[in-house]
Amino acid sequence: MDLGIAGKRALVCASSKGLGLGCARALAAEGVDLIMNARGADALEASAEQIRADFGVTVTTVAIDVTTADGQAAMLEAAGAADILVNNAGGPPPGMWTDWDRDDFIKALDANMLTPIALIKGLVPGMMERGWGRVVNITSQAVRAPIPVLGLSNAARTGLTGYVAGTSRQVAASGVTINNLLPGLHDTDRAASLDNTVVQNEGITIDEARARRQATIPVQRYGTIEEFGAACAFLCSQNAGFIVGQNWLLDGGATNLTM
Ligand code: NAP
C-alpha cells in the first residue's frame, strides 16, 4: 500500500533505539525525510546513518534531551515546517506509590505529558496553516489498564490522553490528526530493564522473568519495533485522515478488554 507521504518531513523524538526508531524507520521506508533525536549522540548518529543507507532519505539529528525547554527549542528549530510529529521520550521509573514525591511527579509530567504538548503547540499551528499534518504520541497500554508499579507513567500519560482527546477535535478540520499509540510489551531496552526489575524483585533468572511476562500476552511473545513502526506510519499516512483522537492498543491482546 502506498501511504502517500513520500517527501514529507517528520520529527521523531527519542528515536535512536526502540519504538521511536521503529517509527523512524517505517516513515523513512515511505520516503519521509527525518529529524531524529536522542540524548546519546553515538547511537543516534549510527541509527541515522543506517536509515540514510537503507532508504536514501535526508536525516538530520539533534542530540539533546527532549524533556528540557532548550531541547524542545532546538528540535523545533531543526524541524522547521515538519508535516509529521512523533512524540516519544523515556518512561518514568517503576516504584511504590508511597515513595513518589512532588518532584517525581513533576519529572514524569514534564517528560510524558508537557513535552509532547509543547511540541504539539510548536508544530501544529504551521501544519494547520498548510492544511495537513499528523501527530502520533507514543503513550502506553497503562492508559487503558493501569500498571501499579508504573504509577508515575499511569498518571502522566493519562493526562496527555485527556489533552489529546479534546485538542485533536479542535484541529481536525484543518487536516491535522492527532492520535496515540499504546504499546504493550515490546522487545526494546526499556522492556529488558523492566525484565531486570522482575529479576531483582523476585530472585528469578532473566529468562524466567521474560517467559513469565510473555505468558501474560495472548500472542505469547513481545511485539517488535517493526510492527509498532508500521502502525505509526499508517497513522501518518494519507489513508488515516479520518482517524482522530484515537488510542490504538498494540499489545498482542494482553489488555483484557471487550473494546
Ligand atoms: P528504549 O528502547 O529505552 O528507547 C528509548 C529511546 O528514547 C532511546 O533512543 C533513548 O535514547 C531515547 N530517549 C530516552 N529519553 C530521552 C530524552 N529525555 N530525550 C531524548 N531522547 C530520549 O524505550 P522504548 O521501549 O522504545 O520505549 C519508548 C516509550 O514507550 C517509553 O516512554 C516507554 O516507557 C514506552 N513504553 C514502552 C513499552 C515497551 O514494552 N517497550 C511498553 C509501554 C510503554 P537516549 O537514552 O540516548 O536519550
Side-chain angles (χ1 to χ4, degrees):
M1 186 194 298
D2 178 7
L3 299 187
I5 49 176
K8 302 267 188 208
R9 277 163 53 78
L11 169 59
V12 187
C13 305
S15 54
S16 65
K17 299 178 188 171
L19 303 178
L21 177 60
C23 296
R25 290 188 59 82
L27 289 168
E30 295 299 321
V32 174
D33 293 323
L34 301 175
I35 302 96
M36 292 175 66
N37 153 259
R39 292 163 303 183
D42 291 350
L44 178 62
E45 201 41 57
S47 293
E49 192 47 42
Q50 191 63 53
I51 287 177
R52 291 181 194 110
D54 290 347
F55 306 113
V57 296
T58 301
V59 184
T60 305
T61 55
V62 186
I64 207 154
D65 185 340
V66 68
T67 68
T68 62
D70 286 352
Q72 289 150 23
M75 291 173 66
L76 287 171
E77 192 178 334
D83 310 288
I84 295 169
L85 165 64
V86 179
N87 271 315
N88 187 31
M96 268 298 283
W97 66 273
T98 43
D99 296 334
W100 298 317
D101 58 23
R102 181 182 161 76
D103 284 349
D104 297 314
F105 278 99
I106 297 295
K107 231 181 259 171
L109 291 171
D110 258 340
N112 299 113
M113 178 181 170
L114 300 176
T115 291
I117 290 173
L119 294 174
I120 286 170
K121 282 186 71 182
L123 289 180
V124 165
M127 294 177 188
M128 291 172 76
E129 268 173 41
R130 294 187 297 277
W132 195 94
R134 298 283 183 265
V135 179
V136 174
N137 303 300
I138 300 179
T139 67
S140 171
Q141 152 190 51
V143 168
R144 296 298 305 281
I147 302 170
V149 294
L150 292 179
L152 295 171
S153 171
N154 299 338
R157 296 185 199 277
T158 305
L160 175 65
T161 305
Y163 172 85
V164 167
T167 307
S168 61
R169 286 160 171 99
Q170 290 175 301
V171 304
S174 61
V176 178
T177 69
I178 312 179
N179 291 287
N180 303 315
L181 283 178
L182 284 53
L185 283 170
H186 282 74
D187 203 358
T188 68
D189 289 358
R190 164 82 170 170
S193 107
L194 292 174
D195 287 346
N196 275 318
T197 306
V198 176
V199 168
Q200 280 155 21
N201 289 350
E202 307 197 18
I204 57 178
T205 67
I206 189 81
D207 288 346
E208 285 168 334
R210 192 168 168 130
R212 196 183 286 183
R213 297 217 300 153
Q214 285 185 161
T216 65
I217 306 172
V219 169
Q220 299 278 295
R221 62 171 174 82
Y222 289 4
T224 69
I225 67 167
E226 289 78 16
E227 290 168 318
F228 192 87
C232 177
F234 182 78
L235 274 183
C236 294
S237 73
Q238 298 293 352
N239 311 300
F242 208 54
I243 303 174
V244 170
Q246 297 303 299
N247 292 280
W248 281 11
L249 197 48
L250 304 181
D251 70 344
T255 311
N256 199 28
L257 298 167
T258 301
M259 52 188 279

